[in-house]
Short mmCIF file of all heavy atoms in Angstrom, two decimals:
data_model
loop_
_atom_site.label_atom_id
_atom_site.label_comp_id
_atom_site.label_asym_id
_atom_site.label_seq_id
_atom_site.Cartn_x
_atom_site.Cartn_y
_atom_site.Cartn_z
N ARG A 1073 93.34 -36.15 -15.22
CA ARG A 1073 91.88 -36.29 -15.29
C ARG A 1073 91.52 -37.58 -16.04
O ARG A 1073 92.27 -38.03 -16.92
CB ARG A 1073 91.28 -35.09 -16.04
CG ARG A 1073 91.16 -33.83 -15.21
CD ARG A 1073 89.88 -33.77 -14.42
NE ARG A 1073 88.70 -33.96 -15.22
CZ ARG A 1073 87.44 -33.78 -14.77
NH1 ARG A 1073 87.24 -33.39 -13.54
NH2 ARG A 1073 86.41 -33.99 -15.55
N PRO A 1074 90.37 -38.19 -15.74
CA PRO A 1074 90.03 -39.48 -16.35
C PRO A 1074 89.95 -39.44 -17.86
O PRO A 1074 90.36 -40.40 -18.53
CB PRO A 1074 88.69 -39.85 -15.71
CG PRO A 1074 88.16 -38.59 -15.11
CD PRO A 1074 89.35 -37.79 -14.74
N GLU A 1075 89.48 -38.33 -18.43
CA GLU A 1075 89.35 -38.25 -19.89
C GLU A 1075 90.72 -38.14 -20.57
O GLU A 1075 90.82 -38.31 -21.79
CB GLU A 1075 88.47 -37.07 -20.29
CG GLU A 1075 88.95 -35.71 -19.84
CD GLU A 1075 88.39 -35.29 -18.49
OE1 GLU A 1075 88.01 -36.19 -17.69
OE2 GLU A 1075 88.33 -34.07 -18.23
N ALA A 1076 91.77 -37.86 -19.79
CA ALA A 1076 93.11 -37.74 -20.36
C ALA A 1076 93.99 -38.96 -20.08
O ALA A 1076 95.15 -38.98 -20.49
CB ALA A 1076 93.80 -36.49 -19.82
N VAL A 1077 93.46 -39.95 -19.40
CA VAL A 1077 94.27 -41.12 -19.05
C VAL A 1077 94.77 -41.85 -20.29
O VAL A 1077 95.95 -42.16 -20.43
CB VAL A 1077 93.49 -42.07 -18.12
CG1 VAL A 1077 94.16 -43.44 -18.06
CG2 VAL A 1077 93.41 -41.47 -16.71
N GLU A 1078 93.86 -42.11 -21.24
CA GLU A 1078 94.27 -42.90 -22.39
C GLU A 1078 95.40 -42.25 -23.17
O GLU A 1078 96.36 -42.92 -23.57
CB GLU A 1078 93.07 -43.16 -23.31
CG GLU A 1078 93.39 -44.11 -24.45
CD GLU A 1078 92.16 -44.58 -25.21
OE1 GLU A 1078 91.06 -44.02 -24.97
OE2 GLU A 1078 92.29 -45.50 -26.02
N GLU A 1079 95.31 -40.95 -23.40
CA GLU A 1079 96.35 -40.28 -24.20
C GLU A 1079 97.68 -40.21 -23.47
O GLU A 1079 98.73 -40.03 -24.09
CB GLU A 1079 95.90 -38.86 -24.57
CG GLU A 1079 95.78 -37.91 -23.39
CD GLU A 1079 95.15 -36.58 -23.76
OE1 GLU A 1079 93.92 -36.56 -24.01
OE2 GLU A 1079 95.87 -35.58 -23.81
N ASN A 1080 97.64 -40.39 -22.14
CA ASN A 1080 98.87 -40.36 -21.35
C ASN A 1080 99.43 -41.75 -21.03
O ASN A 1080 100.44 -41.85 -20.32
CB ASN A 1080 98.65 -39.59 -20.06
CG ASN A 1080 98.69 -38.08 -20.28
OD1 ASN A 1080 99.74 -37.51 -20.51
ND2 ASN A 1080 97.52 -37.45 -20.23
N LEU A 1081 98.81 -42.79 -21.58
CA LEU A 1081 99.32 -44.14 -21.31
C LEU A 1081 100.78 -44.32 -21.72
O LEU A 1081 101.51 -45.04 -21.03
CB LEU A 1081 98.43 -45.18 -21.99
CG LEU A 1081 97.05 -45.40 -21.35
CD1 LEU A 1081 96.25 -46.39 -22.18
CD2 LEU A 1081 97.18 -45.88 -19.90
N PRO A 1082 101.25 -43.72 -22.81
CA PRO A 1082 102.68 -43.87 -23.14
C PRO A 1082 103.60 -43.39 -22.01
O PRO A 1082 104.63 -44.01 -21.75
CB PRO A 1082 102.83 -43.03 -24.40
CG PRO A 1082 101.49 -43.09 -25.05
CD PRO A 1082 100.52 -43.03 -23.91
N PHE A 1083 103.24 -42.30 -21.34
CA PHE A 1083 104.03 -41.84 -20.20
C PHE A 1083 103.88 -42.79 -19.02
O PHE A 1083 104.87 -43.14 -18.37
CB PHE A 1083 103.59 -40.43 -19.79
CG PHE A 1083 104.04 -39.35 -20.71
CD1 PHE A 1083 103.20 -38.86 -21.69
CD2 PHE A 1083 105.32 -38.83 -20.61
CE1 PHE A 1083 103.63 -37.86 -22.55
CE2 PHE A 1083 105.76 -37.82 -21.47
CZ PHE A 1083 104.91 -37.35 -22.45
N ILE A 1084 102.65 -43.17 -18.73
CA ILE A 1084 102.40 -44.05 -17.59
C ILE A 1084 103.19 -45.35 -17.74
O ILE A 1084 103.83 -45.82 -16.80
CB ILE A 1084 100.88 -44.32 -17.48
CG1 ILE A 1084 100.14 -43.03 -17.12
CG2 ILE A 1084 100.60 -45.41 -16.44
CD1 ILE A 1084 98.64 -43.10 -17.28
N ASP A 1085 103.16 -45.92 -18.94
CA ASP A 1085 103.86 -47.18 -19.18
C ASP A 1085 105.38 -46.99 -19.14
O ASP A 1085 106.10 -47.76 -18.50
CB ASP A 1085 103.45 -47.75 -20.54
CG ASP A 1085 102.00 -48.21 -20.58
OD1 ASP A 1085 101.40 -48.40 -19.50
OD2 ASP A 1085 101.46 -48.35 -21.69
N ALA A 1086 105.88 -45.97 -19.83
CA ALA A 1086 107.33 -45.79 -19.93
C ALA A 1086 107.97 -45.43 -18.59
O ALA A 1086 109.10 -45.86 -18.31
CB ALA A 1086 107.65 -44.69 -20.96
N LEU A 1087 107.26 -44.67 -17.77
CA LEU A 1087 107.83 -44.19 -16.51
C LEU A 1087 107.56 -45.10 -15.34
O LEU A 1087 108.04 -44.86 -14.24
CB LEU A 1087 107.31 -42.78 -16.21
CG LEU A 1087 107.54 -41.74 -17.32
CD1 LEU A 1087 107.02 -40.39 -16.89
CD2 LEU A 1087 109.01 -41.65 -17.70
N GLY A 1088 106.77 -46.15 -15.55
CA GLY A 1088 106.47 -47.08 -14.47
C GLY A 1088 105.62 -46.48 -13.37
O GLY A 1088 105.72 -46.87 -12.21
N ILE A 1089 104.77 -45.54 -13.74
CA ILE A 1089 103.90 -44.89 -12.77
C ILE A 1089 102.91 -45.90 -12.19
O ILE A 1089 102.28 -46.65 -12.93
CB ILE A 1089 103.16 -43.70 -13.42
CG1 ILE A 1089 104.17 -42.59 -13.74
CG2 ILE A 1089 102.04 -43.18 -12.54
CD1 ILE A 1089 103.63 -41.47 -14.59
N ARG A 1090 102.79 -45.92 -10.87
CA ARG A 1090 101.96 -46.92 -10.20
C ARG A 1090 100.64 -46.37 -9.66
O ARG A 1090 99.77 -47.14 -9.28
CB ARG A 1090 102.72 -47.58 -9.04
CG ARG A 1090 104.07 -48.17 -9.41
CD ARG A 1090 104.04 -48.98 -10.71
NE ARG A 1090 103.05 -50.05 -10.70
CZ ARG A 1090 102.60 -50.66 -11.79
NH1 ARG A 1090 103.00 -50.26 -13.00
NH2 ARG A 1090 101.70 -51.63 -11.71
N TYR A 1091 100.50 -45.07 -9.60
CA TYR A 1091 99.28 -44.45 -9.07
C TYR A 1091 98.90 -43.28 -9.97
O TYR A 1091 99.74 -42.46 -10.32
CB TYR A 1091 99.49 -43.89 -7.66
CG TYR A 1091 99.93 -44.88 -6.62
CD1 TYR A 1091 101.27 -45.19 -6.45
CD2 TYR A 1091 99.00 -45.49 -5.77
CE1 TYR A 1091 101.70 -46.09 -5.47
CE2 TYR A 1091 99.40 -46.38 -4.79
CZ TYR A 1091 100.75 -46.68 -4.65
OH TYR A 1091 101.16 -47.56 -3.68
N ILE A 1092 97.60 -43.20 -10.31
CA ILE A 1092 97.05 -42.05 -11.02
C ILE A 1092 95.92 -41.48 -10.19
O ILE A 1092 95.03 -42.22 -9.75
CB ILE A 1092 96.52 -42.44 -12.41
CG1 ILE A 1092 97.62 -43.04 -13.29
CG2 ILE A 1092 95.86 -41.24 -13.10
CD1 ILE A 1092 98.71 -42.07 -13.66
N PHE A 1093 95.97 -40.16 -9.98
CA PHE A 1093 94.92 -39.52 -9.19
C PHE A 1093 94.26 -38.40 -9.98
O PHE A 1093 94.94 -37.61 -10.65
CB PHE A 1093 95.49 -38.95 -7.89
CG PHE A 1093 96.06 -40.00 -6.98
CD1 PHE A 1093 97.43 -40.15 -6.85
CD2 PHE A 1093 95.23 -40.86 -6.30
CE1 PHE A 1093 97.97 -41.13 -6.03
CE2 PHE A 1093 95.75 -41.85 -5.48
CZ PHE A 1093 97.12 -41.98 -5.34
N ILE A 1094 92.94 -38.35 -9.92
CA ILE A 1094 92.19 -37.25 -10.51
C ILE A 1094 92.44 -36.02 -9.65
O ILE A 1094 92.16 -36.04 -8.44
CB ILE A 1094 90.68 -37.59 -10.55
CG1 ILE A 1094 90.44 -38.86 -11.36
CG2 ILE A 1094 89.88 -36.42 -11.10
CD1 ILE A 1094 89.04 -39.43 -11.22
N PRO A 1095 92.97 -34.95 -10.21
CA PRO A 1095 93.39 -33.82 -9.38
C PRO A 1095 92.27 -32.88 -8.95
O PRO A 1095 92.43 -32.15 -7.98
CB PRO A 1095 94.37 -33.07 -10.29
CG PRO A 1095 93.91 -33.38 -11.67
CD PRO A 1095 93.40 -34.79 -11.62
N TRP A 1096 91.14 -32.92 -9.67
CA TRP A 1096 90.10 -31.93 -9.37
C TRP A 1096 88.80 -32.33 -10.06
O TRP A 1096 88.80 -32.74 -11.22
CB TRP A 1096 90.53 -30.55 -9.87
CG TRP A 1096 89.47 -29.48 -9.77
CD1 TRP A 1096 88.53 -29.16 -10.71
CD2 TRP A 1096 89.24 -28.60 -8.67
NE1 TRP A 1096 87.74 -28.13 -10.26
CE2 TRP A 1096 88.16 -27.76 -9.01
CE3 TRP A 1096 89.87 -28.43 -7.44
CZ2 TRP A 1096 87.68 -26.78 -8.14
CZ3 TRP A 1096 89.40 -27.44 -6.58
CH2 TRP A 1096 88.32 -26.63 -6.93
N VAL A 1097 87.71 -32.21 -9.34
CA VAL A 1097 86.36 -32.27 -9.92
C VAL A 1097 85.59 -31.12 -9.29
O VAL A 1097 85.55 -30.99 -8.06
CB VAL A 1097 85.66 -33.61 -9.63
CG1 VAL A 1097 84.20 -33.55 -10.07
CG2 VAL A 1097 86.38 -34.77 -10.34
N GLY A 1098 85.01 -30.28 -10.10
CA GLY A 1098 84.30 -29.12 -9.58
C GLY A 1098 82.97 -29.47 -8.94
O GLY A 1098 82.39 -30.53 -9.20
N THR A 1099 82.48 -28.57 -8.11
CA THR A 1099 81.23 -28.80 -7.39
C THR A 1099 80.07 -29.06 -8.35
O THR A 1099 79.24 -29.96 -8.13
CB THR A 1099 80.91 -27.59 -6.50
OG1 THR A 1099 81.98 -27.40 -5.57
CG2 THR A 1099 79.61 -27.80 -5.73
N GLU A 1100 80.00 -28.29 -9.44
CA GLU A 1100 78.91 -28.47 -10.40
C GLU A 1100 78.92 -29.88 -10.99
O GLU A 1100 77.86 -30.49 -11.18
CB GLU A 1100 79.01 -27.44 -11.53
CG GLU A 1100 77.87 -27.54 -12.54
CD GLU A 1100 78.02 -26.58 -13.70
OE1 GLU A 1100 79.07 -25.92 -13.80
OE2 GLU A 1100 77.09 -26.48 -14.51
N GLU A 1101 80.10 -30.39 -11.26
CA GLU A 1101 80.22 -31.73 -11.84
C GLU A 1101 79.75 -32.80 -10.87
O GLU A 1101 79.20 -33.82 -11.26
CB GLU A 1101 81.68 -31.98 -12.23
CG GLU A 1101 81.87 -33.06 -13.27
CD GLU A 1101 83.28 -33.08 -13.83
OE1 GLU A 1101 84.08 -32.17 -13.50
OE2 GLU A 1101 83.59 -34.01 -14.59
N PHE A 1102 79.96 -32.55 -9.58
CA PHE A 1102 79.46 -33.48 -8.57
C PHE A 1102 77.94 -33.38 -8.42
O PHE A 1102 77.25 -34.39 -8.28
CB PHE A 1102 80.10 -33.19 -7.21
CG PHE A 1102 81.49 -33.73 -7.05
CD1 PHE A 1102 82.48 -32.93 -6.49
CD2 PHE A 1102 81.82 -35.02 -7.43
CE1 PHE A 1102 83.77 -33.43 -6.31
CE2 PHE A 1102 83.10 -35.53 -7.25
CZ PHE A 1102 84.08 -34.72 -6.69
#
Side-chain angles (χ1 to χ4, degrees):
R1073 281 274 306 188
E1075 59 269 24
V1077 164
E1078 186 170 10
E1079 67 188 72
N1080 281 288
L1081 287 176
F1083 285 98
I1084 294 167
D1085 293 342
L1087 305 181
I1089 291 170
R1090 306 316 304 162
Y1091 301 85
I1092 300 294
F1093 297 106
I1094 301 168
W1096 173 271
V1097 172
T1099 301
E1100 182 184 7
E1101 201 169 353
F1102 281 135

